Amino acid sequence: MPSLSDETNGALAALEPGMTIGIVGGGQLGRMMALSAKYMGFRVGVLDPTDDCPTAQVADFQIVADYDDTAAIRALADHSDVLTYEFENVDADALDAVRDRVAIPQGTDLLRVTQNRIAEKTFINDHGIGTAPWRAVQSRDELDAALAEIGYPAVLKTSEGGYDGHGQIVLRSETDLAQVWPADEFPQAILEGFVDFAYEASILVSGDGEHYVTFPVVRNIHRNNILHMTLAPAEVGTALEESARALAIELARGFKLAGTLAIELFVTNDGGVLVNELAPRPHNSGHYTIEACSSDQFDTHIRGIAGWPLEQPRLLSPAVMVNVLGQHVAPTRAARASHPEWHMHDYGKAQVKHNRKMGHITVLTDDPARTAADLEATGCWSGESDQ
């Protein structure tokens, strides 16, 4: 088994082609990790409760089991040379229990920090990096005290388990307090003040535990708390780009990052940058890198956890990435014959569901703003179902 440079996480002695990478989680991110790994000559296994999940369709084997099934995780570990995970909601204790069987270069510190918003905000602030004002709250009394300090508008989020807007309550006035959980069901939560931002952005950083590379800052557009579109690169000045890159490297060093970390940002109206959230894995906003960069976010993730050298990625072309949710599948398939410039990615999900991420489209362009407008003009992403 490859040796770790640290008992928690860090660089590996290089994996050789033919060795096996086990992925915990079988969604689209795992699928794209697996495709990168296969190009490099690795074998791939996946653990996921859904038979023939997106990752399993391109992997060498699947273990069908729940993510917290310790016996199944042991089985994956025993058939793998290294383990990685494609999403945050993995049982960190279960992974720690197999560290004597398999290398886990991402470690579980990164997982635990990003699983809990309180731990995440604390980690970010402890590294001298700004966030929205926030307070931890565990009761209605603590919420009232936090609101008195932070004020309206604010957003109340469960500290664990939320994604794409789930587990969040926007509080614009006292009237919205009626939506708050009852006293006997109040979870550990966090109250965040609203930020007066110009737009949302993100940056990706990848590492091998010792060396780190970054991707460009990109601009993100959300609908209903789900990423809708990414424009790469964001139109930012050199100072902001350098500031975002510096904070990304600082956070990566703090984790001794192996693999890819996504950092969601707020670009403020005064030209500053604040960190919103972290994702300990490749990210939806980085899908443009597959066509637009010299190495994509999945390549750098696999290289990072495999102990292979990392080259600073280059943006080969500006690009626009747009998500294809369930309600967009039929119209985009109908339109594709008229759009040879569309790089269409289908995730292989068996069921088409409203607001479910079914795929994405990337367009290489010299004018991202114009291309974004052209995509919207097709009508594929309009209609009441998307409001």
Side-chain angles (χ1 to χ4, degrees), residues 228-251:
H228 168 56
M229 184 178 285
T230 294
L231 283 68
E235 294 183 358
V236 298
T238 301
L240 194 149
E241 183 85 33
E242 291 179 350
S243 177
R245 183 178 185 276
L247 70 84
I249 297 293
E250 178 66 21
L251 292 172

Side-chain angles (χ1 to χ4, degrees), residues 95-289:
L95 290 181
D96 279 336
V98 298
R99 292 193 65 83
D100 61 336
R101 298 169 180 256
V102 67
I104 309 176
Q106 284 166 283
T108 51
D109 291 343
L110 174 63
L111 195 58
R112 286 188 169 90
V113 167
T114 55
Q115 282 176 340
N116 185 289
R117 288 189 171 95
I118 296 171
E120 181 177 85
K121 298 291 187 188
T122 300
F123 183 90
I124 294 166
N125 293 158
D126 284 350
H127 283 77
I129 298 167
T131 61
W134 65 276
R135 296 293 181 271
V137 296
Q138 297 191 79
S139 68
R140 184 59 179 268
D141 286 344
E142 290 185 3
L143 173 60
D144 291 342
L147 282 168
E149 188 172 352
I150 291 176
Y152 294 99
V155 58
L156 181 64
K157 304 177 181 179
T158 55
S159 63
E160 297 182 354
Y163 69 96
D164 286 347
H166 297 283
Q168 300 186 19
I169 302 170
V170 177
L171 304 176
R172 299 185 183 279
S173 68
E174 290 186 9
T175 304
D176 294 322
L177 292 174
Q179 304 174 55
V180 173
W181 312 289
D184 59 347
E185 298 178 13
F186 206 105
Q188 184 187 60
I190 184 172
L191 182 76
E192 292 182 16
F194 271 32
V195 174
D196 183 20
F197 62 89
Y199 56 89
E200 295 177 78
S202 58
I203 187 171
L204 301 167
V205 57
S206 299
D208 62 5
E210 298 176 353
H211 310 100
Y212 308 101
V213 298
T214 58
F215 291 84
V217 175
V218 298
R219 181 169 182 163
N220 297 322
I221 299 168
H222 291 79
R223 290 184 180 175
N224 298 322
N225 296 304
I226 302 172
L227 181 65
H228 168 56
M229 184 178 285
T230 294
L231 283 68
E235 294 183 358
V236 298
T238 301
L240 194 149
E241 183 85 33
E242 291 179 350
S243 177
R245 183 178 185 276
L247 70 84
I249 297 293
E250 178 66 21
L251 292 172
R253 286 176 176 155
F255 286 119
K256 288 194 67 179
L257 176 69
T260 294
L261 171 71
I263 304 167
E264 297 181 56
L265 306 168
F266 293 127
V267 176
T268 60
N269 287 312
D270 61 2
V273 62
L274 300 173
V275 172
N276 180 23
E277 292 183 349
L278 307 178
R281 49 167 172 76
H283 190 260
N284 194 172
S285 68
H287 292 346
Y288 77 94
T289 62

Side-chain angles (χ1 to χ4, degrees), residues 8-63:
T8 304
N9 57 294
L12 281 170
L15 293 184
E16 294 295 331
M19 301 180 84
T20 300
I21 296 174
I23 303 174
V24 181
Q28 64 267 20
L29 297 178
R31 180 187 183 94
M32 289 179 273
M33 286 181 192
L35 290 169
S36 284
K38 297 296 284 183
Y39 274 120
M40 297 178 203
F42 298 118
R43 295 179 63 81
V44 176
V46 58
L47 185 152
D48 193 274
T50 302
D51 188 30
D52 196 40
C53 62
T55 306
Q57 295 166 20
V58 299
D60 294 285
F61 67 90
Q62 178 182 7
I63 295 173

Side-chain angles (χ1 to χ4, degrees), residues 223-224 327-328 354 376 379-387:
R223 290 184 180 175
N224 298 322
Q327 60 267 34
H328 310 140
H354 181 83
E376 298 292 6
C380 293
W381 290 271
S382 61
E384 291 184 9
S385 61
D386 204 34
Q387 300 304 309

